[in-house]
Amino acid sequence: MNMHQSNPTSSTPNRRTALLSGSALSAAIMANTTTKGLHASDGESRDPKRVVKIALIGSGGRGTGAINDSLTINENVQLIALADLDRDHCERTLAAMSRRHGDKVDVKPERIHTGLDAYKQVLSDPDVDLVLIASPPGFHPLHASEAVKAGKHVFCEKPSCVDAAGYQTCLATHDEAVKNGTAIVTGTQYRRQVNYMGAVEQIREGLIGDIISATSRYCSNGIWFKNRKDGMTDTQYQIYNWMHFNWLAGDQICEQAVHNIDAMNWVMGSAPETAYGCGGRFTRPEGSEMWDSMSIDYTYPGNRTLSFTCRQIPGTQGDNGNVIYGSKGIATIDAGSGGSRITDRDGKELWSMKGSIADAYKQEHKDLVDSIRSGEPIVEFRQTAESSLTAVMGRMAAYTGQKVTWDFMSKESTLDLFPAHLDWNGELPEPAYAIPGKVKLT
């Protein structure tokens, strides 16, 4: 499943050489970056009125939403730089944020950066304190790692990784952030949604008894697909249509359904030990690498089984949420703003709580900035990387038709989907969708 690019000239460093062994890029960024972000306990960081200056890497819809949430919930913050492959994306984000937030936005023309290397310009800017990373997921390990090396605080969207190589990079980045005193908060907003937090607390306190099993579903009707434009190179097209290429998105189970997987890892208290699954594709467009349905049985310590399903098929019934079955009761945690409730085994309600996903989206950004100012930076990259690898483990179980263990994925797997060389004007092979029994576990 590795993807390799035939053009030997690379515009972006190969993750395996640039991140795992340290790169000239990192040294150059560090040489041109102040170290105020490296020591979060200093007096300047503890100043509650100090303006935290923010840059956004990835000015698409999710990136625009993330910076809007940060500017909305936080005082004394300012957007000062934007990076994206497409300058029009930056300009639209800038115009929208300027209208909504006024003086909280001060992006000079020279701080709008475009191209595959745009993130480097952001990370070498000594005025940037915090970077919000909303690039396609395949770039998250690279961008987060280099941001931490540059002494920046980080918000990184989910998933943290789409393969085993990216997972190992994320673990190293987490440890380096702890050492540096830089924060990493991730886009797993359910961990900051009050009804999720309340339900997990009630489960921990024993209201449903011992957890026996659970179901989790992320079933919806479809997802966008972009046709290739005239003149696009392979690299340009695949990044333009990034959802449909696994090196960039990791299939639905990683890119979207990881929210529910993360919630279930949180409930269960760990990653699962094994995954066994199946699935297929019935409605995806020609050229998409994605499946459109996947069902995975995850086994957690204590022989607790999670039956997990994700699906994107037009005309089907949607379902999104989690049900945890205990020896004394049942906890239902609905996605979005559906709320949580716990009943006994006969259906009598024992507890319930409402919650707003919009508030949770904002809260993750407030917690991040508050932690920076307090001198006690939150670093949560490891937990999100574990949930992301759990999604990868499920995908590989379905793709290969084999039972996959956590020990294999976290310790032995060599799966690395990122192109060996990435050139904006270069070629990339068009990947074929997975066929169980033919795809090998690596």
Side-chain angles (χ1 to χ4, degrees):
M1 295 298 289
N2 287 357
M3 294 176 59
H4 296 284
Q5 205 262 46
S6 60
N7 191 326
T9 303
S10 174
S11 296
T12 296
N14 169 9
R15 179 178 62 210
R16 287 164 291 184
T17 58
L19 301 187
L20 300 183
S21 62
S23 66
L25 166 62
S26 301
I29 288 173
M30 288 300 294
N32 291 287
T33 304
T34 61
T35 59
K36 63 182 178 180
L38 291 176
H39 306 289
S41 61
D42 63 24
E44 183 182 21
S45 294
R46 290 182 181 274
D47 180 1
K49 295 183 179 180
R50 178 174 70 88
V51 175
V52 175
K53 296 184 178 181
I54 305 174
L56 174 64
I57 299 174
S59 295
R62 183 77 291 273
T64 300
I67 188 59
N68 181 63
D69 288 332
S70 186
L71 295 176
T72 298
I73 197 67
N74 290 307
E75 296 299 325
N76 299 320
V77 296
Q78 190 173 59
L79 174 64
I80 67 165
L82 293 162
D84 196 273
L85 291 174
D86 190 334
R87 190 176 183 89
D88 287 345
H89 289 174
C90 294
E91 297 287 1
R92 286 197 293 269
T93 298
L94 177 57
M97 295 304 101
S98 296
R99 287 194 302 270
R100 295 177 187 177
H101 300 290
D103 292 344
K104 286 185 176 180
V105 179
D106 183 21
V107 180
K108 300 293 191 294
E110 61 270 22
R111 278 181 163 148
I112 297 177
H113 309 291
T114 58
L116 282 176
D117 294 343
Y119 75 99
K120 300 179 189 178
Q121 307 306 313
V122 165
L123 299 184
S124 64
D125 188 334
D127 291 331
V128 172
D129 302 303
L130 166 64
V131 292
L132 274 54
I133 298 171
S135 47
F139 288 100
H140 290 177
L142 167 66
H143 290 166
S145 177
E146 295 298 336
V148 170
K149 288 182 172 71
K152 309 301 185 185
H153 301 287
V154 173
F155 172 83
C156 186
E157 263 301 342
K158 57 73 196 169
S160 299
C161 58
V162 297
D163 55 26
Y167 170 73
Q168 297 298 335
T169 298
C170 289
L171 297 189
T173 299
H174 177 103
D175 292 344
E176 187 163 5
V178 171
K179 179 181 177 181
N180 287 351
T182 50
I184 308 180
V185 166
T186 58
T188 51
Q189 70 280 348
Y190 286 143
R191 295 214 182 212
R192 291 177 171 83
Q193 188 162 324
V194 293
N195 65 291
Y196 274 71
M197 297 165 66
V200 173
E201 181 181 9
Q202 293 297 325
I203 292 169
R204 294 277 190 273
E205 291 180 355
L207 190 58
I208 69 169
D210 296 330
I211 296 174
I212 299 171
S213 63
T215 63
S216 182
R217 296 172 181 157
Y218 203 128
C219 298
S220 58
N221 293 130
I223 200 70
W224 54 264
F225 181 90
K226 298 178 181 180
N227 292 314
R228 191 167 188 155
K229 294 182 178 181
D230 290 342
M232 279 186 167
T233 67
D234 293 341
T235 300
Q236 291 164 14
Y237 172 62
Q238 290 193 18
I239 295 177
Y240 173 67
N241 194 28
W242 60 267
M243 181 68 73
H244 293 270
F245 296 94
N246 283 348
W247 74 272
L248 286 161
D251 212 320
Q252 183 202 2
I253 193 171
C254 288
E255 197 283 328
Q256 184 184 65
V258 70
H259 281 302
N260 290 14
I261 289 173
D262 180 67
M264 293 311 305
N265 279 5
W266 182 21
V267 167
M268 295 294 193
S270 73
E273 295 176 327
T274 66
Y276 186 82
C278 60
R281 47 181 284 133
F282 305 93
T283 63
R284 293 298 189 198
E286 184 73 21
S288 173
E289 194 177 2
M290 299 177 75
W291 284 11
D292 55 18
S293 57
M294 203 172 292
S295 295
I296 312 296
D297 286 340
Y298 288 109
T299 302
Y300 285 82
N303 202 29
R304 299 169 297 166
T305 300
L306 166 65
S307 174
F308 178 84
T309 302
C310 60
R311 184 179 67 206
Q312 291 173 336
I313 298 181
T316 60
Q317 181 178 346
D319 190 7
N320 190 355
N322 315 281
V323 182
I324 302 95
Y325 298 91
S327 57
K328 296 192 297 184
I330 300 170
T332 301
I333 310 174
D334 288 330
S337 299
S340 302
R341 59 195 177 279
I342 293 177
T343 66
D344 64 18
R345 298 291 297 189
D346 295 323
K348 178 183 177 182
E349 185 172 289
L350 304 175
W351 174 91
S352 67
M353 180 179 285
K354 296 180 179 180
S356 165
I357 193 172
D359 290 346
Y361 274 122
K362 295 179 180 66
Q363 190 63 45
E364 58 192 5
H365 291 280
K366 187 176 191 306
D367 289 351
L368 170 58
V369 172
D370 285 351
S371 82
I372 293 169
R373 289 206 175 103
S374 72
E376 299 179 357
I378 297 169
V379 184
E380 60 186 26
F381 213 34
R382 180 179 292 271
Q383 72 182 29
T384 310
E386 289 179 349
S387 296
S388 300
L389 190 66
T390 300
V392 174
M393 181 168 73
R395 184 189 75 215
M396 294 312 298
Y399 278 9
T400 64
Q402 305 296 318
K403 180 180 283 190
V404 183
T405 69
W406 177 259
D407 279 350
F408 174 81
M409 290 303 306
S410 63
K411 298 175 183 177
E412 300 176 34
S413 175
T414 60
L415 184 67
D416 187 350
L417 301 180
F418 202 86
H421 302 285
L422 192 62
D423 185 339
W424 181 241
N425 296 311
E427 298 178 351
L428 287 174
E430 182 177 333
Y433 58 82
I435 299 176
K438 293 187 177 181
V439 173
K440 303 302 180 183
L441 192 60
T442 57

